Amino acid sequence: MAIVKTEKLSKIYNPDTVPVHALRDVTISFEEGEFTSVVGPSGSGKTTLLNMIGGLDKPTSGSVEIDGTTITGMSDRELIDFRLKHIGFVFQHYNLIPVFTALENVSFIMLLQKREKSEMENRAKSLLEQVGLSDRMDARPKQLSGGQQQRVAVARALASEPRFILADEPTANLDSTSAMNLLDIMEKMNREQNVTFIFSTHDQRVIDRARRVVYMVDGKIDRDEVQK
Amino acid sequence: MKTLLIIAWRNIWRHPGRSGVLIAAIIVGLWAGVVTVGTMNGMLQQRVSYLIDSEVTHLQIHNPEFLTERLAADYIPDHDEITGWLSQDERVRSFSPRVMADGMLQSPVKTSGVRIRGIDVEQESATTTFHENMIEGEYLDAGVRNSVVMGKSLMDEHGLRIGNRIVLTFEDAQGELTSSAFNITGIFRSASTEYDDRNLLVRKSDLYGLIAETPVFHEIAVMLHNEDDATAVVDDLNEAFPEITARTWRQISPELSTLIGLGGYMLYIVTLIIMAALAFGILNTMLMALFERMREIGMLISIGMSRKGVFIMIMMESVLLTLTGTAGGFLLAWLSIGWLGRNGVNFEAFADGIAELGWDHIVYPVISTQEYVAILLVVMFVTLLASLYPAFKAIRINPLEAAKDT
């Protein structure tokens, strides 16, 4: 069953001055349990596509459906609430809260969901263990390496129990070892817990590990391949 | 809310130097403001207390005609009944009947218009602190006939000394001019040079003997155990004795009430001026913090934090920052006012000028808990106002900021 479905999705920036067609009638769907990379050169529209799917940006035309709910016409407040409940995000720059410890960063999203304190703490600890940071729970982002910070970001994205995780260039700022380590963790979660990951990337290491690769050029889907 | 409070508090200390400078500015600003307001309060309260204690008293009784015409004939009718009533009322601490006359002082050098008060030394001393103003001689020496005490400045103006004689001319109860020689037995110096230039004190018996055949009084000054009872006592007196007018010190000297009210206004004005300056510091600090955290706030909105939550977080940061400074400022001010309240602020360098205006040159600052609360409310109001712009700017941040490369 498709978790995410887009229908003739288009995005034009500066429509009244110098129009830039970031997406052109993109129709695509993603199934539960996928480990997919959306790849393409800069300006190909991969990040824009992820932003539309994540409800961070609104399309000029077309629609996005998540688990049967069309999010395209939602208000800003509805979108914020929807994202909190259904979508996990991993950003290129980790974007952790610098004044929080790793444990607090992971717990924070559950706090926004108004979960029980004990449940939050247990789940946050469990997720940090899963990403291999059980001994760094009380460290603040500044005290962690880039790879460790990105692993905290993955744990945070998983904490809200989203339907899928959108990861925008998650390995772009990591060295090879950290990148491979992070990919191992995400792949394991996908395989063992059926967590759905959708990446935007031009990192060959991520592309090689993805089971489906969607190639984008000039705002359109050029190829959509399943890898062995 | 607790988490927002924790984030806000920790965010303040991301840049300890920057926050520290602002907090220090708030501490110094508020300290200066509170001490200034406290000093003004002290000056005003001392002035009011001095005037009440030394002359005006909590309430006064007059013949209503005397209040407008000030004629010797307008004395208080049936004063024995009134003084009997006052003696029996438990709220009354003491009272002093006075004989009053506006007249002319003649010395060998010149003449001056003066106000003559005839008092009973014992009753006046029990009621007012005027005797504390005596700097030389006796407070109406009982052994000298027609004894008079004069202000130092008036003595100097006339080139007089203790032992000299002066002639006082005034109207008697029949409207006839009467004159008598008086012997200077003492000199006083009050807080007001202007008062010293215009007032003389004589014994009541010496004065009413010249005004009427029987003892007459134009004024009864009354001190109460508790100043708060003044209005009630005045009402009771006016009801019991319709032919007289009793008035509280606020009615007698509305300018004193105005002075106290002025102190209240000054508190708001001084605090607002200081906070208006500090508001720009708060605004600047919050805007800098906001511009540095665009991506982070974008991330918070991306992952599901409501814009209302972001708004509250920014407002809380400003409030916590200011509250920290306010606590420091108040503590410093409280310690300073405590010390200055015991030792006084000495304006000796301006003592002459201050005396001309009727003020003490040593001021004991005072500030009430209500005034601390009022200052805190002004501080919070200005802080919230200064934080609105950064907070509204924060909630307009696009969640896409989180994904920006730079």
mmCIF file of all heavy atoms in Angstrom, chain A residues 166-196:
data_model
loop_
_atom_site.group_PDB
_atom_site.id
_atom_site.type_symbol
_atom_site.label_atom_id
_atom_site.label_comp_id
_atom_site.label_asym_id
_atom_site.label_seq_id
_atom_site.Cartn_x
_atom_site.Cartn_y
_atom_site.Cartn_z
ATOM 1 N N LEU A 166 11.763 11.430 6.132
ATOM 2 C CA LEU A 166 12.351 12.160 5.006
ATOM 3 C C LEU A 166 13.739 12.623 5.436
ATOM 4 O O LEU A 166 13.864 13.301 6.463
ATOM 5 C CB LEU A 166 11.495 13.368 4.654
ATOM 6 C CG LEU A 166 10.108 13.078 4.065
ATOM 7 C CD1 LEU A 166 9.310 14.366 3.939
ATOM 8 C CD2 LEU A 166 10.223 12.404 2.697
ATOM 9 N N ALA A 167 14.741 12.231 4.670
ATOM 10 C CA ALA A 167 16.117 12.607 5.031
ATOM 11 C C ALA A 167 16.738 13.370 3.874
ATOM 12 O O ALA A 167 16.947 12.813 2.790
ATOM 13 C CB ALA A 167 16.923 11.356 5.362
ATOM 14 N N ASP A 168 16.958 14.677 4.123
ATOM 15 C CA ASP A 168 17.501 15.547 3.075
ATOM 16 C C ASP A 168 19.025 15.559 3.177
ATOM 17 O O ASP A 168 19.577 16.135 4.116
ATOM 18 C CB ASP A 168 16.918 16.951 3.244
ATOM 19 C CG ASP A 168 17.344 17.884 2.130
ATOM 20 O OD1 ASP A 168 17.747 17.390 1.061
ATOM 21 O OD2 ASP A 168 17.297 19.114 2.350
ATOM 22 N N GLU A 169 19.681 14.929 2.222
ATOM 23 C CA GLU A 169 21.151 14.865 2.180
ATOM 24 C C GLU A 169 21.725 14.503 3.553
ATOM 25 O O GLU A 169 22.571 15.238 4.094
ATOM 26 C CB GLU A 169 21.729 16.226 1.746
ATOM 27 C CG GLU A 169 21.142 16.795 0.478
ATOM 28 C CD GLU A 169 21.898 16.378 -0.778
ATOM 29 O OE1 GLU A 169 22.772 15.487 -0.665
ATOM 30 O OE2 GLU A 169 21.589 16.901 -1.855
ATOM 31 N N PRO A 170 21.336 13.399 4.133
ATOM 32 C CA PRO A 170 21.741 13.102 5.523
ATOM 33 C C PRO A 170 23.237 12.857 5.699
ATOM 34 O O PRO A 170 23.756 13.020 6.809
ATOM 35 C CB PRO A 170 20.948 11.835 5.860
ATOM 36 C CG PRO A 170 20.674 11.193 4.552
ATOM 37 C CD PRO A 170 20.523 12.303 3.565
ATOM 38 N N THR A 171 23.922 12.480 4.612
ATOM 39 C CA THR A 171 25.349 12.158 4.758
ATOM 40 C C THR A 171 26.255 13.243 4.200
ATOM 41 O O THR A 171 27.467 13.090 4.202
ATOM 42 C CB THR A 171 25.669 10.836 4.034
ATOM 43 O OG1 THR A 171 25.226 10.974 2.671
ATOM 44 C CG2 THR A 171 24.960 9.659 4.687
ATOM 45 N N ALA A 172 25.645 14.342 3.734
ATOM 46 C CA ALA A 172 26.430 15.362 3.028
ATOM 47 C C ALA A 172 27.559 15.940 3.870
ATOM 48 O O ALA A 172 28.609 16.308 3.344
ATOM 49 C CB ALA A 172 25.514 16.475 2.540
ATOM 50 N N ASN A 173 27.363 16.024 5.162
ATOM 51 C CA ASN A 173 28.391 16.638 6.015
ATOM 52 C C ASN A 173 29.194 15.606 6.801
ATOM 53 O O ASN A 173 29.871 15.956 7.765
ATOM 54 C CB ASN A 173 27.733 17.601 7.004
ATOM 55 C CG ASN A 173 27.221 18.852 6.323
ATOM 56 O OD1 ASN A 173 27.675 19.201 5.228
ATOM 57 N ND2 ASN A 173 26.249 19.492 6.924
ATOM 58 N N LEU A 174 29.106 14.337 6.390
ATOM 59 C CA LEU A 174 29.778 13.296 7.186
ATOM 60 C C LEU A 174 30.959 12.699 6.437
ATOM 61 O O LEU A 174 30.950 12.612 5.192
ATOM 62 C CB LEU A 174 28.777 12.182 7.530
ATOM 63 C CG LEU A 174 27.523 12.580 8.313
ATOM 64 C CD1 LEU A 174 26.681 11.351 8.600
ATOM 65 C CD2 LEU A 174 27.888 13.286 9.609
ATOM 66 N N ASP A 175 31.967 12.268 7.211
ATOM 67 C CA ASP A 175 33.077 11.540 6.581
ATOM 68 C C ASP A 175 32.593 10.127 6.226
ATOM 69 O O ASP A 175 31.507 9.701 6.638
ATOM 70 C CB ASP A 175 34.277 11.503 7.527
ATOM 71 C CG ASP A 175 33.937 10.826 8.843
ATOM 72 O OD1 ASP A 175 33.609 9.623 8.822
ATOM 73 O OD2 ASP A 175 33.972 11.514 9.897
ATOM 74 N N SER A 176 33.412 9.411 5.496
ATOM 75 C CA SER A 176 33.005 8.099 4.970
ATOM 76 C C SER A 176 32.577 7.144 6.068
ATOM 77 O O SER A 176 31.520 6.505 5.990
ATOM 78 C CB SER A 176 34.158 7.455 4.202
ATOM 79 O OG SER A 176 34.308 8.138 3.012
ATOM 80 N N THR A 177 33.394 7.067 7.113
ATOM 81 C CA THR A 177 33.106 6.098 8.191
ATOM 82 C C THR A 177 31.774 6.434 8.856
ATOM 83 O O THR A 177 30.922 5.559 9.052
ATOM 84 C CB THR A 177 34.229 6.153 9.255
ATOM 85 O OG1 THR A 177 35.482 6.104 8.573
ATOM 86 C CG2 THR A 177 34.125 4.993 10.221
ATOM 87 N N SER A 178 31.589 7.730 9.173
ATOM 88 C CA SER A 178 30.350 8.151 9.830
ATOM 89 C C SER A 178 29.164 7.921 8.919
ATOM 90 O O SER A 178 28.082 7.492 9.364
ATOM 91 C CB SER A 178 30.415 9.630 10.204
ATOM 92 O OG SER A 178 31.460 9.858 11.093
ATOM 93 N N ALA A 179 29.352 8.221 7.622
ATOM 94 C CA ALA A 179 28.254 8.052 6.663
ATOM 95 C C ALA A 179 27.851 6.576 6.582
ATOM 96 O O ALA A 179 26.666 6.240 6.610
ATOM 97 C CB ALA A 179 28.681 8.576 5.296
ATOM 98 N N MET A 180 28.846 5.685 6.475
ATOM 99 C CA MET A 180 28.548 4.247 6.353
ATOM 100 C C MET A 180 27.874 3.743 7.640
ATOM 101 O O MET A 180 26.934 2.956 7.585
ATOM 102 C CB MET A 180 29.833 3.451 6.082
ATOM 103 C CG MET A 180 30.487 3.790 4.752
ATOM 104 S SD MET A 180 29.347 3.805 3.350
ATOM 105 C CE MET A 180 29.251 2.067 3.011
ATOM 106 N N ASN A 181 28.386 4.219 8.750
ATOM 107 C CA ASN A 181 27.820 3.850 10.060
ATOM 108 C C ASN A 181 26.340 4.258 10.134
ATOM 109 O O ASN A 181 25.471 3.480 10.536
ATOM 110 C CB ASN A 181 28.639 4.581 11.138
ATOM 111 C CG ASN A 181 28.384 4.006 12.512
ATOM 112 O OD1 ASN A 181 27.511 3.181 12.677
ATOM 113 N ND2 ASN A 181 29.148 4.446 13.484
ATOM 114 N N LEU A 182 26.053 5.501 9.702
ATOM 115 C CA LEU A 182 24.676 6.008 9.738
ATOM 116 C C LEU A 182 23.785 5.180 8.809
ATOM 117 O O LEU A 182 22.657 4.803 9.166
ATOM 118 C CB LEU A 182 24.663 7.482 9.311
ATOM 119 C CG LEU A 182 23.298 8.160 9.372
ATOM 120 C CD1 LEU A 182 22.925 8.482 10.819
ATOM 121 C CD2 LEU A 182 23.298 9.453 8.559
ATOM 122 N N LEU A 183 24.304 4.908 7.616
ATOM 123 C CA LEU A 183 23.517 4.121 6.656
ATOM 124 C C LEU A 183 23.239 2.718 7.188
ATOM 125 O O LEU A 183 22.141 2.179 6.986
ATOM 126 C CB LEU A 183 24.258 4.056 5.314
ATOM 127 C CG LEU A 183 24.198 5.358 4.504
ATOM 128 C CD1 LEU A 183 25.186 5.330 3.348
ATOM 129 C CD2 LEU A 183 22.792 5.612 3.986
ATOM 130 N N ASP A 184 24.247 2.154 7.866
ATOM 131 C CA ASP A 184 24.045 0.817 8.469
ATOM 132 C C ASP A 184 22.859 0.853 9.435
ATOM 133 O O ASP A 184 22.013 -0.039 9.427
ATOM 134 C CB ASP A 184 25.304 0.376 9.244
ATOM 135 C CG ASP A 184 26.432 -0.007 8.292
ATOM 136 O OD1 ASP A 184 26.135 -0.240 7.106
ATOM 137 O OD2 ASP A 184 27.601 -0.048 8.756
ATOM 138 N N ILE A 185 22.852 1.894 10.264
ATOM 139 C CA ILE A 185 21.787 2.005 11.279
ATOM 140 C C ILE A 185 20.424 2.148 10.604
ATOM 141 O O ILE A 185 19.449 1.471 10.966
ATOM 142 C CB ILE A 185 22.078 3.203 12.215
ATOM 143 C CG1 ILE A 185 23.264 2.883 13.121
ATOM 144 C CG2 ILE A 185 20.856 3.572 13.056
ATOM 145 C CD1 ILE A 185 23.850 4.088 13.844
ATOM 146 N N MET A 186 20.351 3.016 9.618
ATOM 147 C CA MET A 186 19.063 3.268 8.967
ATOM 148 C C MET A 186 18.586 2.028 8.206
ATOM 149 O O MET A 186 17.401 1.684 8.222
ATOM 150 C CB MET A 186 19.172 4.483 8.035
ATOM 151 C CG MET A 186 19.362 5.782 8.814
ATOM 152 S SD MET A 186 19.026 7.290 7.898
ATOM 153 C CE MET A 186 20.482 7.410 6.901
ATOM 154 N N GLU A 187 19.548 1.366 7.565
ATOM 155 C CA GLU A 187 19.207 0.155 6.791
ATOM 156 C C GLU A 187 18.681 -0.937 7.733
ATOM 157 O O GLU A 187 17.715 -1.641 7.429
ATOM 158 C CB GLU A 187 20.441 -0.330 6.041
ATOM 159 C CG GLU A 187 20.093 -1.168 4.832
ATOM 160 C CD GLU A 187 21.337 -1.491 3.993
ATOM 161 O OE1 GLU A 187 22.464 -1.342 4.531
ATOM 162 O OE2 GLU A 187 21.176 -1.878 2.832
ATOM 163 N N LYS A 188 19.336 -1.043 8.894
ATOM 164 C CA LYS A 188 18.934 -2.049 9.875
ATOM 165 C C LYS A 188 17.510 -1.770 10.377
ATOM 166 O O LYS A 188 16.684 -2.674 10.514
ATOM 167 C CB LYS A 188 19.925 -2.023 11.051
ATOM 168 C CG LYS A 188 19.763 -3.156 12.025
ATOM 169 C CD LYS A 188 20.803 -3.081 13.123
ATOM 170 C CE LYS A 188 20.462 -4.112 14.192
ATOM 171 N NZ LYS A 188 21.038 -3.787 15.473
ATOM 172 N N MET A 189 17.242 -0.497 10.629
ATOM 173 C CA MET A 189 15.895 -0.125 11.108
ATOM 174 C C MET A 189 14.855 -0.420 10.038
ATOM 175 O O MET A 189 13.736 -0.844 10.333
ATOM 176 C CB MET A 189 15.849 1.361 11.469
ATOM 177 C CG MET A 189 16.539 1.649 12.776
ATOM 178 S SD MET A 189 16.593 3.390 13.109
ATOM 179 C CE MET A 189 17.057 3.348 14.826
ATOM 180 N N ASN A 190 15.248 -0.161 8.797
ATOM 181 C CA ASN A 190 14.327 -0.423 7.687
ATOM 182 C C ASN A 190 14.050 -1.924 7.567
ATOM 183 O O ASN A 190 12.901 -2.347 7.410
ATOM 184 C CB ASN A 190 14.965 0.114 6.391
ATOM 185 C CG ASN A 190 14.197 -0.307 5.155
ATOM 186 O OD1 ASN A 190 14.609 -1.226 4.441
ATOM 187 N ND2 ASN A 190 13.064 0.358 4.912
ATOM 188 N N ARG A 191 15.120 -2.689 7.707
ATOM 189 C CA ARG A 191 14.996 -4.141 7.513
ATOM 190 C C ARG A 191 14.269 -4.791 8.695
ATOM 191 O O ARG A 191 13.356 -5.587 8.502
ATOM 192 C CB ARG A 191 16.400 -4.735 7.377
ATOM 193 C CG ARG A 191 16.441 -6.049 6.615
ATOM 194 C CD ARG A 191 17.861 -6.487 6.316
ATOM 195 N NE ARG A 191 18.753 -6.423 7.472
ATOM 196 C CZ ARG A 191 19.813 -5.624 7.547
ATOM 197 N NH1 ARG A 191 20.121 -4.830 6.558
ATOM 198 N NH2 ARG A 191 20.573 -5.618 8.632
ATOM 199 N N GLU A 192 14.666 -4.394 9.908
ATOM 200 C CA GLU A 192 14.129 -5.090 11.078
ATOM 201 C C GLU A 192 12.804 -4.507 11.576
ATOM 202 O O GLU A 192 11.979 -5.214 12.127
ATOM 203 C CB GLU A 192 15.161 -5.052 12.216
ATOM 204 C CG GLU A 192 16.400 -5.855 11.875
ATOM 205 C CD GLU A 192 17.464 -5.763 12.965
ATOM 206 O OE1 GLU A 192 17.245 -5.069 13.978
ATOM 207 O OE2 GLU A 192 18.533 -6.392 12.782
ATOM 208 N N GLN A 193 12.634 -3.176 11.403
ATOM 209 C CA GLN A 193 11.407 -2.567 11.960
ATOM 210 C C GLN A 193 10.487 -2.020 10.875
ATOM 211 O O GLN A 193 9.482 -1.370 11.169
ATOM 212 C CB GLN A 193 11.791 -1.429 12.920
ATOM 213 C CG GLN A 193 12.602 -1.909 14.105
ATOM 214 C CD GLN A 193 13.169 -0.737 14.919
ATOM 215 O OE1 GLN A 193 12.532 0.280 15.065
ATOM 216 N NE2 GLN A 193 14.377 -0.905 15.423
ATOM 217 N N ASN A 194 10.854 -2.269 9.611
ATOM 218 C CA ASN A 194 10.049 -1.825 8.473
ATOM 219 C C ASN A 194 9.848 -0.307 8.434
ATOM 220 O O ASN A 194 8.807 0.189 7.995
ATOM 221 C CB ASN A 194 8.689 -2.543 8.490
ATOM 222 C CG ASN A 194 8.099 -2.617 7.096
ATOM 223 O OD1 ASN A 194 8.833 -2.716 6.109
ATOM 224 N ND2 ASN A 194 6.779 -2.552 6.990
ATOM 225 N N VAL A 195 10.874 0.463 8.944
ATOM 226 C CA VAL A 195 10.786 1.927 8.890
ATOM 227 C C VAL A 195 11.030 2.378 7.452
ATOM 228 O O VAL A 195 11.988 1.940 6.813
ATOM 229 C CB VAL A 195 11.839 2.581 9.824
ATOM 230 C CG1 VAL A 195 11.770 4.101 9.736
ATOM 231 C CG2 VAL A 195 11.647 2.107 11.249
ATOM 232 N N THR A 196 10.149 3.243 6.957
ATOM 233 C CA THR A 196 10.258 3.734 5.580
ATOM 234 C C THR A 196 11.169 4.962 5.535
ATOM 235 O O THR A 196 10.961 5.911 6.291
ATOM 236 C CB THR A 196 8.858 4.129 5.053
ATOM 237 O OG1 THR A 196 7.976 3.037 5.284
ATOM 238 C CG2 THR A 196 8.895 4.492 3.588
#
